[in-house]
Amino acid sequence: MKTYIVGNWKLNFTVGEASIYLHKLLKKIPNYRDIEVVVAPSALALQSLSLQIDRHKMKLAAQNAFYRDFGAFTGEISFSQLRGLVDYAIIGHSERRYIFKEDDKMVAKKVAAAIRNKITPILCIGETESERAFGETSDVIRDQLMGGLSEIGDDDVDKVIIAYEPVWAISSTKAAKIASPDEIADSVKIIRRNLEEIYGKKVASEISVLFGGSVNSSNAGAYLTVPGVNGLLIGGSSLILSEFSDIIEVAKRVQA
Ligand code: PEP
């Protein structure tokens, strides 16, 4: 199984800065066939970066898109417009859920739109600090997971990547905490158990589950060895070239 190392650049880097970063990253990293390196720049940079990228070494992801393919939706970008530019799309990131009020219904439509347009959805799920404190973690995981997958057919479920990102562990969250490998292992078990209940053992074992939350080159090795974790979704550390490339090297070492 491939290991995914996905960098979410969020609202950072101009188009020029993104291009320079990508140029340096492409020079720095070898072509590791079993490691899928993905970066998610701002939508504005996708067109030019898609011409610059070496797809053997890495792929592009969108950070978001709208679920309708075309029409009167001022300001939106559709998955059909992204088709051919990106291989992946991050969907349901906690910043989309909590700042832009996206609910599971909206997330589900976006997952379906991505699949319809041959883009692999990276469906983000995870509980907030207070949900965890109230013992609601497994309910939130189940609701967001099943909610997010609810608009696609059973045959398409194995085309989705799940990113478990506890909101309290994301570095931009106020007073973010570091998730322990045991906490992540428990949540990943819940994810796979739910998948197994609804879609069967094969799908549950074949789906890739990533972890995201304050990952850096020092803790990446510990997170990548959590049972059931197939990769990392990285925010802050993906903006620092040396950190991001070191994490890729860590992933290679863990795989060896
Ligand atoms: C994220 O926002 O998806 C994320 C994982 O961010 P960070 O790595 O900065 O915690």
Side-chain angles (χ1 to χ4, degrees):
M1 227 163 163
K2 276 191 180 180
T3 300
Y4 291 87
I5 300 296
V6 185
N8 176 9
W9 293 354
K10 307 190 183 184
L11 187 50
N12 294 291
F13 293 156
T14 63
V15 174
E17 287 164 348
S19 171
I20 293 168
Y21 181 111
L22 195 75
H23 176 75
K24 290 183 182 162
L25 183 63
L26 286 168
K27 264 182 50 182
K28 209 165 160 60
I29 60 168
N31 175 9
Y32 291 137
R33 286 218 167 116
D34 41 5
I35 304 206
E36 184 83 329
V37 178
V38 182
V39 292
S42 107
L44 208 54
L46 287 173
Q47 174 80 50
S48 54
L49 296 191
S50 77
L51 301 174
Q52 184 185 339
I53 205 157
D54 174 351
R55 284 190 162 82
H56 293 294
K57 280 193 182 173
M58 55 193 297
K59 304 283 196 315
L60 289 175
Q63 297 176 16
N64 175 45
F66 191 56
Y67 62 85
R68 294 286 291 269
D69 285 343
F70 55 87
F73 303 104
T74 301
E76 294 296 325
I77 293 170
S78 69
F79 288 93
S80 59
Q81 290 172 322
L82 291 170
R83 192 173 179 152
L85 291 186
V86 301
D87 288 279
Y88 298 90
I90 298 170
I91 299 177
H93 189 279
S94 57
E95 285 150 18
R96 300 296 319 168
R97 291 177 188 269
Y98 298 107
I99 302 173
F100 299 100
K101 312 291 176 221
E102 285 188 16
D103 58 13
D104 286 326
K105 273 194 180 149
M106 168 79 86
V107 170
K109 287 179 181 168
K110 291 185 175 193
V111 169
I115 301 248
R116 187 167 73 236
N117 286 290
K118 309 266 179 277
I119 293 169
T120 300
I122 301 174
L123 168 61
C124 299
I125 60 173
E127 78 287 357
T128 62
E129 186 171 24
S130 67
E131 286 164 343
R132 175 164 279 258
F134 280 104
E136 296 166 2
T137 300
S138 59
D139 288 343
V140 173
I141 288 177
R142 186 183 172 86
D143 288 352
Q144 291 186 356
L145 181 65
M146 294 311 155
L149 298 175
S150 63
E151 292 279 331
I152 58 172
D154 292 7
D155 288 354
D156 284 328
V157 170
D158 61 359
K159 299 186 181 120
V160 179
I161 293 173
I162 308 297
Y164 172 60
E165 296 210 304
V167 182
W168 48 271
I170 292 182
S171 68
S172 54
T173 302
K174 230 175 165 187
K177 299 193 173 69
I178 298 297
S180 74
D182 284 347
E183 287 170 322
I184 299 162
D186 287 346
S187 294
V188 172
K189 263 190 224 151
I190 295 170
I191 292 170
R192 293 202 189 272
R193 199 173 54 231
N194 277 297
L195 289 170
E196 186 174 335
E197 269 172 35
I198 312 284
Y199 302 105
K201 239 191 175 93
K202 189 164 181 290
V203 170
S205 63
E206 284 175 356
I207 280 193
S208 291
V209 179
L210 319 186
F211 167 70
S214 300
V215 173
N216 56 43
S217 59
S218 312
N219 60 25
Y223 289 146
L224 283 169
T225 45
V226 171
V229 168
N230 308 107
L232 303 168
L233 178 51
I234 304 149
S237 296
S238 74
L239 299 172
I240 306 162
L241 184 70
S242 57
E243 269 294 293
F244 193 59
S245 58
D246 283 354
I247 293 170
I248 295 165
E249 289 307 317
V250 169
K252 187 65 205 161
R253 276 204 300 278
V254 167
Q255 263 204 349

